[in-house]
Amino acid sequence: MRKKIVAGNWKMNCLQEEGQKLTSEIVNMIKDEPTADVTVVLNPPYVHLHAVNKLIAGVDRVHLGGQNCSDQASGAFTGEVSAGMLASFGASYVIIGHSERRQYFNETNELLTAKTRQALDNGLQPIFCCGEPLEIREAGTHETYVKDQLTASLFNFTEEELKKIVIAYEPIWAIGTGKTASSEQAQDMHAAIRSHLAGKYGDATANEISILYGGSCKPDNAKEIFSKPDVDGGLIGGASLKSRDFVAIVQSF
Ligand code: PGA
């Protein structure tokens, strides 16, 4: 059985108290209300890691993740945060290659390989993002585009390493726009990703990889999207900032 995962990507949101309030509310709802067997990951900005880690202590299914990490292990890289630091602050996941990082911070496929390497070497599970912009979707070449992103960044890892990676398919045209991919569009792409992984690593490995959908996933569409056979959860942006909405998405399985 593949792991079901719902990860919240807070992006650059929440002052100190807001982050603590959000975390406490999520933790309390998850403790008090029945939820299916879903791994929950909170990915706050770096400065919240320590506090969030304390607040989730003792709630087995809630985990901590970073939103990014350096491609370097340590040293004179002012402003950067290493995968080793994330791990030492209690993180077990890290988002790599979010489209906002690719777009605004010019992160290349090659750089993302190095970041994924750092994550794996430090015991973090990368949540590796891929996804096409609107013009590629309209041109009908989205599957090739996404497969190329995965090949370029991930296909030099070993089978054992690949098994630790979570993939997040996030069509750029659906991120923060309120436009969601239909559940059929999500399923088609997730199946294409899985078959691409199978082509390189074999069916058994491909069937172990959790593939999350991201892009305006909300309580009112999560159930339908998560019902698709190749959709193993979600990477949630906007709706992860509202505790009730985020937990409702967790409960959509
Ligand atoms: P969204 O963001 O849910 O606000 O569309 C998803 C993401 O960027 O991870």
Side-chain angles (χ1 to χ4, degrees), residues 132 137 142-143 169 171 173-174 179-193 213 224-225 228 231:
E132 79 287 355
R137 170 63 64 165
H142 43 285
E143 287 191 6
Y169 168 57
W173 47 271
K179 263 191 220 164
T180 322
S182 69
S183 55
E184 288 75 24
Q185 285 173 321
Q187 168 57 25
D188 287 351
M189 181 61 89
H190 285 223
I193 290 171
Y213 169 78
E224 164 71 17
I225 296 172
K228 295 294 173 188
V231 179

Side-chain angles (χ1 to χ4, degrees), residues 8-125:
N9 174 12
W10 295 9
K11 307 193 181 185
M12 197 173 76
N13 292 295
C14 292
L15 302 178
Q16 186 176 32
E17 281 179 14
E18 294 164 342
Q20 296 190 10
K21 181 166 176 279
L22 176 59
T23 307
S24 301
E25 287 172 1
I26 291 169
V27 162
N28 288 334
M29 287 180 203
I30 286 184
K31 276 202 272 194
D32 293 349
E33 299 173 22
T35 49
D37 185 17
V38 180
T39 297
V40 176
V41 187
L42 302 182
N43 299 80
Y46 295 137
V47 290
H48 287 279
L49 286 169
H50 180 65
V52 172
N53 193 40
K54 278 188 157 173
L55 291 167
I56 63 173
V59 191
D60 285 353
R61 81 158 68 146
V62 183
H63 301 264
L64 185 66
Q67 294 178 13
N68 177 33
C69 69
S70 175
D71 61 315
Q72 303 290 325
S74 65
F77 301 101
T78 302
E80 287 290 271
V81 170
S82 71
M85 291 174 196
L86 292 177
S88 79
F89 275 81
S92 43
Y93 290 83
V94 60
I95 298 170
I96 305 265
H98 190 280
S99 62
E100 288 149 19
R101 302 287 323 166
R102 294 177 188 258
Q103 190 180 344
Y104 306 136
F105 302 95
N106 302 317
E107 296 196 354
T108 61
N109 290 326
E110 197 184 10
L111 183 82
L112 299 178
T113 303
K115 290 186 176 209
T116 305
R117 162 59 54 218
Q118 283 299 320
L120 292 170
D121 285 354
N122 287 283
L124 299 177
Q125 279 196 259

Side-chain angles (χ1 to χ4, degrees), residues 7-9 11 95 98-100 129 168 170-171 174-179 213-218 235-240:
N9 174 12
K11 307 193 181 185
I95 298 170
H98 190 280
S99 62
E100 288 149 19
C129 301
E170 300 209 305
I175 295 178
T177 58
K179 263 191 220 164
Y213 169 78
S216 300
C217 193
K218 303 268 186 304
L235 179 55
I236 317 301
S240 75

Side-chain angles (χ1 to χ4, degrees), residues 2 187 194 225-232:
R2 286 193 289 273
Q187 168 57 25
R194 202 176 304 288
I225 296 172
F226 294 173
S227 72
K228 295 294 173 188
D230 285 293
V231 179
D232 306 305

